[in-house]
Amino acid sequence: MKRIQKVLILDDQDALREIIAKRLKRKGYEVIQAGTAAEGLALIEDTLFDTILLDIKLPDGDGLNLLPQIKALQPDLQVVMLTGHGTIESAIDAMKLGAYDYLTKPCNLSELELTLQKAMEKRELLLENTGLRQVVRRQASGFTLIAESPRMLELLELTRKVAQTDASILIQGESGVGKDLVAQAIHAWSARSNSPYIPLNAGAIPEALMESELFGHEKGAFTGAGAQKIGLVEMADQGTLFLDEIGEMPLSLQVKLLRFLESGEFRRVGDTRLRRVNIRVIAATNSNLQEEIKEERFRQDFYYRLNGVTLGVPPLRERREDILPLAEYFLEKANKEELSSKSSVLAPETKQSLLNYDFPGNVRELSHLIKRGQILATNGVIAPSDIWPEKVEVNLKNSIALDPVEGINSIAQSDNLLKLEEVEKHYILATLEKLNGNKALTADLLGISLRNLYRKLQSYESTNG
């Protein structure tokens, strides 16, 4: 689905506006007209535009004075000045103030179309370079989706099918399995592939800032809101909004996001005006949302709204055919890194050790292990000792000093079995100890948010207390 580009014609000559608008609408643009500076500024505050055709002489103001205000509201917006023959010097001055170009009236419509096209291309480049939209536009051929196991091949086939629909998607799977990559594939294989792909990690943003991050805010809406901000849902217009770790989203925001998903309408924080966008939502979670609903930490109606189609990404231990292909892919990437001074290969015994490992951290853990091995390899050959971290003593329930993963394996093989929650607790605490108490690194390796890690650690303390 090609994104419809919006043009604002700000000129006091009704006949000229109508002629230009008619021509641009035939070319597929969405055109909005205004005849005064006040009306134009109100529209710019309310709507994201791609370009503006701005007359230098307006009934209630001067285009030169208006230009800095426009740039303050939408810095990357491209402004094409419209001028009479007697004010070309003023148009040149406008370009010095940030205008993209100028056209003399009456306009040559072919020249105008070409100028608008180039202005929009410049804006798209600016957006990509500044990262304003964090746009991910990868065609299917640009993805590296490693899939040799039957389960992953089946998943990719299903992914291609649902990508052709506009249904909401819920991607479920353990941390580190590649849910974000599946979301990107859905976007790339969909009709929205030429429009923005905007990711949001619901577990990485403080609750107090979440609403502003999603919906934007007006200047002065709250303490610290020194300027207007466009939210992620607005940035994703005509494209895809990916909500990762949706289980971490606060209940208060679930209500507001549910209303938005049902109507497509929202308000910026501190504003009363309704805005509308057309986006597809893909959500992902490693949580059991049914259990979260029972515990009243997740809304059932929000769950049903997100769960149009569910895709389950299997853990790496259940698709062992993908382990070595993934390892070789990560190793090739590591060998190509600029900071890498050598190329390495996996020793046969290292490959076997990888195949025998259960990867509780899934693909993310495999990536970390390969990077470690590439760095520590001797003579270009990665031995098992280069891959696996040193053993650490962990005081488990059975009092055996073990590596976190080996401890869990031993517990599973013993008669003194633990509940799943206790196994998770032992693994988290053991990983934290192995990383010398570094909580940020532990959360990253485990594939959970730092906030989620703190919450779990607090629950362990309260249990012990």
Side-chain angles (χ1 to χ4, degrees), residues 140-141 145 155-165 185-186 189-190 311:
S141 60
L145 293 172
L155 173 64
L156 292 186
E157 181 61 28
L158 182 57
T159 299
R160 286 184 183 275
K161 290 180 180 179
V162 300
Q164 305 309 309
T165 74
I186 293 171
W189 292 333
S190 75
L311 297 178

Side-chain angles (χ1 to χ4, degrees), residues 34 52 57 59 145 188 193 228 242 342 403 424 443 455:
I52 293 182
K57 299 297 182 182
L145 293 172
S193 60
Q228 182 192 70
F242 175 50
K342 61 182 185 302
D403 175 271
E424 179 189 68
R455 190 172 68 184

